[in-house]
Amino acid sequence: MRIDVFTIFPEYLEGPLAVSLLGRAREHGLLDVRLHDPRDHATDRHRSVDDAPYGGGAGMVMAPGPLFAAVEAADPHRPLFLLGPAGRRLDQGLVRELAASPGFSLLCGRYEGVDERVARHLCDDELSIGDYVLAGGEAAALVVVEAVARLVPGVMGNEDSGREESFTGDPEGRVLVEHPQYTRPARFRGWDVPEVLRRGDHAMVARWRRARALRRTLARRPDLLAEQDLTDDERSLLDEFPE
Ligand code: SAH
């Protein structure tokens, strides 16, 4: 999987890209992240990449020249996504789609954002990581890279650990948040791990987990699942494991 990232702060990404799962994936050749600095393509003495906005107003806007030149020189995999708060919201469905592709690219804005001609004529789409405003696209790029990379085959040690997860869709096609998890010790400061998890009855554990995932989703993410949408089986599952 190749991911090209265009950023005027490549050093912002270098540290996180070298650590843990991403670091290992890159070492093993499963992930090829290439950082490109548009500043290398600036043409003036000060290597400037931004300019004042037409029409006036506060802040600076990233100029099209260095961004077009950087992308054209790298010839990156498409789609090329501009990161920006007005973009399509990233979700696990899109993450899965990207993980199944040979690669894609990300362009990070800074300051007040990028010249609109970059959005319209250089990038293929715009991607947001949520309804809030960051100071730059670099943190958003990391979010995208990490979410996608962990679904690339071979990147996570245990292929199973990607399966039963929040937002992933279970065998019944439900998109839920995950059930609670516990590890040793069985009793910690007087709080016990639920009995059912310690009995070794795998079918029962699966039922408990599904009941808990359903209950959590109803309580915390009612946008994913409405009470009236529950099947009879799911209702009886909730009755079987009351809170
Ligand atoms: N003036 C812009 C915000 C610019 S923030 C506006 O009001 O919409 C500077 C840069 O940070 C953006 O160009 C974009 O690349 C990045 N950014 C900010 N918020 C983001 C978000 N929610 N998702 C993805 N990128 C974001």
Side-chain angles (χ1 to χ4, degrees), residues 21-82:
L21 180 125
L22 293 178
R24 266 196 317 275
R26 292 174 69 208
E27 243 169 58
H28 295 162
L30 298 166
L31 186 65
D32 175 12
V33 182
R34 304 185 193 182
L35 303 176
H36 310 277
D37 187 351
R39 211 176 279 285
D40 295 339
H41 298 269
T43 48
D44 66 329
R45 204 155 55 84
H46 303 289
R47 303 179 76 215
S48 40
V49 291
D50 59 323
D51 209 332
Y54 269 112
M60 299 295 268
V61 174
M62 289 184 81
L67 293 173
F68 270 79
V71 170
E72 284 158 2
D75 190 22
H77 276 29
R78 301 258 173 181
L80 166 61
F81 295 101
L82 171 65

Side-chain angles (χ1 to χ4, degrees), residues 185-202:
R187 163 165 281 205
F188 176 72
R189 298 191 175 181
W191 299 301
D192 289 327
V193 171
E195 242 295 302
V196 45
L197 297 180
R198 292 184 280 148
R199 282 205 300 262
D201 178 341
H202 297 301

Side-chain angles (χ1 to χ4, degrees), residues 107-119:
L107 193 151
C108 304
R110 274 273 154 180
Y111 316 117
E112 288 308 311
V114 305
D115 185 288
E116 182 63 16
R117 288 162 293 188
V118 170

Side-chain angles (χ1 to χ4, degrees), residues 92-240:
Q92 193 68 9
L94 178 56
V95 165
R96 260 198 307 272
E97 242 175 71
L98 293 174
S101 78
F104 62 94
S105 306
L106 300 167
L107 193 151
C108 304
R110 274 273 154 180
Y111 316 117
E112 288 308 311
V114 305
D115 185 288
E116 182 63 16
R117 288 162 293 188
V118 170
R120 290 222 184 157
H121 306 298
L122 181 63
C123 298
D124 303 300
D125 205 352
E126 194 165 332
L127 209 53
S128 164
I129 62 159
D131 289 350
Y132 38 79
V133 180
L134 301 165
E138 289 75 13
L142 267 180
V143 167
V144 179
V145 170
E146 184 163 312
V148 170
R150 62 193 288 286
L151 297 189
V152 170
V155 167
M156 280 202 290
N158 176 2
E159 288 299 312
D160 265 357
S161 55
R163 237 169 261 161
E164 239 188 61
E165 274 190 325
S166 299
F167 310 119
T168 297
D170 64 7
E172 286 81 22
R174 281 264 188 248
V175 175
L176 305 173
V177 296
E178 200 183 48
H179 55 78
Q181 308 261 21
Y182 293 90
T183 185
R184 272 182 281 275
R187 163 165 281 205
F188 176 72
R189 298 191 175 181
W191 299 301
D192 289 327
V193 171
E195 242 295 302
V196 45
L197 297 180
R198 292 184 280 148
R199 282 205 300 262
D201 178 341
H202 297 301
M204 186 72 100
V205 167
R207 293 169 65 74
W208 179 89
R209 285 185 170 161
R210 186 158 170 77
R212 281 293 176 270
L214 283 167
R215 197 179 295 283
R216 266 195 168 181
T217 307
L218 285 171
R220 299 187 190 181
R221 292 298 304 272
D223 55 311
L224 295 175
L225 177 68
E227 192 100 38
Q228 67 268 18
D229 291 344
L230 292 180
T231 63
D232 290 344
D233 280 353
E234 288 168 338
R235 276 178 221 287
S236 63
L237 207 52
L238 288 179
D239 292 340
E240 188 181 343

